[in-house]
């Protein structure tokens, strides 16, 4: 993604207040909806702001957030940020999303099946064939005029570090990938 962050990097790295975003993991079940609501409002008020994205998936949709560099208007490379099994949509922001945005990428984070809101609010469990999760994410990105369709990157950490290679075996519209199973 490059070695030199843009001048906006420090602002982008710390604007998301990770302490607030990570709270949903530690709240007991009755508090999860409130924590989820706070996390969503934090994404929306961040700098740069995150655009909520709804990803059609089976008979429901996966929630996501697309973050772009400030004042970006042209098609840019886009990183699909895939978090691990039990983490909120924000967990991979600091190691993957923020550095990508600081280097001129758009970054899309989302909750997949079995992750946070999809599990707790919708009862949608994990699935081993992660290409069936990544393909709808790519489908949402491709028609966007602000995404360069030839430069879509998939990155996964923790459990997603195992899912990414499987998704790549079937989803051929991804230009590059990073798989870090830690």
């Amino acid at each position: 993604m490059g070695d030199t962050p843009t001048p906006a990097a420090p602002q982008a790295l710390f604007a998301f207040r990770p302490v607030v975003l990570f709270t949903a993991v530690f709240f007991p079940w009755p508090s999860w909806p409130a924590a989820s609501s706070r996390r969503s409002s934090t994404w929306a008020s961040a700098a740069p702001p995150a655009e909520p994205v709804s990803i059609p998936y089976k008979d429901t949709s996966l929630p996501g957030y697309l973050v772009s560099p400030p004042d970006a208007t042209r098609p840019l490379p886009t990183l699909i940020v895939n978090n691990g099994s039990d983490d909120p949509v924000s967990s991979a922001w600091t190691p993957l999303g923020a550095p990508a945005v600081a280097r001129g990428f758009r970054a899309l984070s989302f909750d997949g099946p079995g992750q946070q809101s999809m599990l707790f609010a919708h009862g949608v469990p994990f699935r081993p064939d992660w290409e069936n999760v990544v393909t709808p994410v790519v489908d949402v990105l491709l028609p966007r005029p602000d995404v360069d369709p030839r430069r879509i990157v998939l990155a996964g950490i923790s459990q997603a570090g195992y899912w990414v290679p499987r998704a790549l075996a079937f989803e051929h519209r991804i230009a590059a990938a990073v798989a870090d199973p830690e």
Side-chain angles (χ1 to χ4, degrees):
M1 291 194 294
D3 294 326
T4 308
T6 64
Q11 178 185 12
L13 286 172
F14 299 107
F16 282 89
R17 297 176 226 116
V19 172
V20 174
L21 291 172
F22 287 108
T23 56
V25 173
F26 303 107
F27 275 88
W29 170 253
S31 298
W32 185 86
S36 178
S37 174
R38 283 193 306 274
R39 187 175 70 222
S40 295
S41 66
T42 301
W43 278 100
S45 65
E51 172 191 342
V53 175
S54 180
I55 302 161
Y57 175 78
K58 292 184 142 189
D59 59 349
T60 187
S61 62
L62 306 175
Y65 299 94
L66 182 68
V67 181
S68 300
D71 303 319
T73 57
R74 62 185 170 83
L76 294 176
T78 301
L79 177 69
I80 299 170
V81 178
N82 209 162
N83 57 306
S85 63
D86 57 355
D87 292 329
V89 70
S90 59
S91 67
W93 175 252
T94 301
L96 297 174
V101 171
R103 287 169 174 81
F105 282 64
R106 298 185 197 286
L108 175 65
S109 297
F110 68 99
D111 274 341
Q115 296 174 313
Q116 293 294 304
S117 66
M118 292 310 296
L119 180 62
F120 298 141
H122 303 288
V124 178
F126 283 112
R127 61 182 304 161
D129 52 349
W130 206 247
E131 67 276 6
N132 289 307
V133 177
V134 171
T135 292
V137 175
V138 175
D139 289 344
V140 163
L141 290 173
L142 285 179
R144 292 182 61 105
D146 57 353
V147 171
D148 182 340
R150 295 168 292 121
R151 297 190 295 166
I152 294 177
V153 179
L154 175 62
I157 59 170
S158 190
Q159 181 67 33
Y162 294 101
W163 297 331
V164 164
R166 169 149 182 140
L168 291 175
F170 298 93
E171 177 51 72
H172 301 286
R173 298 173 294 175
I174 294 173
V178 176
D180 181 6
E182 298 178 347

